[in-house]
Amino acid sequence: MKFSLPVALGVLLVIVGVGVGGLAASGVMAVGTVMMMVAPSMLVFGLVAFGIGVKHGEFRAEG
């Protein structure tokens, strides 16, 4: 399966959305806490991991 940048970022957003939605619906934390603290941190971590993965893929493709 070939991924383009928009498809890969869309998959990342779906994964974060499912995680945030599940946590908000579970009642473990207040929804406000999930939206203000958990969602941004999940998104930032996902973007950092995505960037590292892209750079690692570029490195592996070179040699």
Side-chain angles (χ1 to χ4, degrees):
M1 182 174 185
K2 273 190 116 168
F3 284 106
S4 62
L5 184 61
V7 171
L9 288 176
V11 170
L12 174 68
L13 289 177
V14 167
I15 292 171
V16 170
V18 167
V20 169
L23 188 58
S26 69
V28 176
M29 293 182 194
V31 175
T33 303
V34 172
M35 294 304 172
M36 289 189 305
M37 297 178 72
V38 177
S41 64
M42 284 178 73
L43 192 57
V44 168
F45 175 77
L47 290 172
V48 168
F50 181 80
I52 291 171
V54 166
K55 288 300 177 185
H56 179 68
E58 290 174 357
F59 170 76
R60 296 280 296 177
E62 288 177 6

